[in-house]
Amino acid sequence: MNRQQLAQEIIDAGRFLYGRGWSPATSSNYSTRISANEALLTVSGKHKGQLGPDDVLATDMDGNSLEPGKKPSAETLLHTQLYRWKPEIGAVLHTHSVNATVLSRLTLADSLVFADYELQKAFSGITTHESQVFVPIFDNDQDIARLASQVQPWLDEHPDCVGYLIRGHGLYTWGPRMSDVLRQVEAFEFLFECELKTLSITRR
């Protein structure tokens, strides 16, 4: 795909995710891989339901803008970290849904475990509900380099990881293509909602 097509994928993703309430206002950030050394990301501070062609920019894998006058998201390093980790990753989405935010705050453990849900098969590499999907939860940190340094050991130890949560903040998930990542966001949101409803029932 050329840059224009990749940018359009980001724009379309923003409209879809905003429409579902998973990326309100200027929250969230999205990216696609351009090449082994470059990524295309949303510009900082842009409303995700109103993205246009000028609201994305190219960065190197250290998170530096390659387009003068355009500022990448503060969390760019969390995107490029994933591209460096696995060359097959072609897109990354970071969303700020209510369910992800609330569930990550309610959960005292350092991870969520999904088991026996049929929709687990929506995640890359999962072929049966008879499995467990571990989703680590990292404490929020305004120092993104420090946060990335906490994420990397988990990724190295869990090469099958399909996403993680930042507590009180949101979800990161990734895949070979934007369509794969959008599918995984939908699956995560379904599972987050199921877990919250289960908690509301069991705590009565």
Side-chain angles (χ1 to χ4, degrees):
M1 278 191 194
N2 59 35
R3 180 199 162 101
Q4 182 178 359
Q5 291 171 315
L6 292 172
Q8 190 60 50
E9 284 197 340
I10 290 175
I11 292 167
D12 292 343
R15 290 173 180 163
F16 172 74
L17 295 168
Y18 171 75
R20 297 296 293 268
W22 299 336
S23 287
T26 59
S27 71
S28 308
N29 36 75
Y30 321 132
S31 68
T32 57
R33 184 194 290 274
I34 298 175
S35 67
N37 302 312
E38 296 181 13
L40 196 65
L41 288 99
T42 44
V43 172
S44 178
K46 298 296 182 178
H47 192 293
K48 299 309 181 295
Q50 301 169 7
L51 294 174
D54 291 334
D55 297 328
V56 297
L57 78 162
T59 73
D60 62 22
M61 287 301 163
D62 292 320
N64 300 308
S65 175
L66 299 176
E67 300 183 27
K70 287 188 175 183
K71 179 184 176 183
S73 165
E75 297 174 39
T76 297
L77 282 177
L78 297 178
H79 288 253
T80 56
Q81 173 182 53
L82 291 164
Y83 293 127
R84 292 194 305 268
W85 175 50
K86 282 188 176 182
E88 62 267 31
I89 292 175
V92 178
L93 292 174
H94 170 47
T95 53
H96 282 229
S97 74
V98 172
N99 287 339
T101 302
V102 173
L103 186 58
S104 67
R105 287 170 61 91
L106 285 177
T107 304
L108 300 179
D110 58 6
S111 66
L112 293 173
V113 182
F114 297 121
D116 298 322
Y117 284 106
E118 182 68 16
L119 206 63
Q120 289 169 204
K121 293 190 289 185
F123 297 126
S124 297
I126 305 295
T127 59
T128 175
H129 71 281
E130 296 178 333
S131 61
Q132 291 186 324
V133 176
F134 289 86
V135 183
I137 304 173
F138 301 99
D139 289 334
N140 200 9
D141 193 335
Q142 297 302 300
D143 186 329
I144 299 303
R146 183 167 58 201
L147 178 56
S149 72
Q150 295 174 13
V151 172
Q152 193 60 53
W154 174 277
L155 296 177
D156 292 338
E157 293 174 15
H158 302 84
D160 57 346
C161 183
V162 293
Y164 64 82
L165 286 166
I166 302 175
R167 198 178 306 277
H169 185 156
L171 168 72
Y172 269 87
T173 187
W174 50 85
R177 295 169 299 276
M178 183 64 78
S179 58
D180 298 312
V181 194
L182 287 167
R183 182 188 72 243
Q184 291 191 169
V185 171
E186 284 198 81
F188 270 122
E189 288 300 330
F190 174 86
L191 295 172
F192 293 156
E193 186 169 356
C194 286
E195 289 291 302
L196 283 171
K197 287 187 174 181
T198 301
L199 282 173
S200 71
I201 294 170
T202 56
R203 290 185 176 186
R204 286 177 181 173

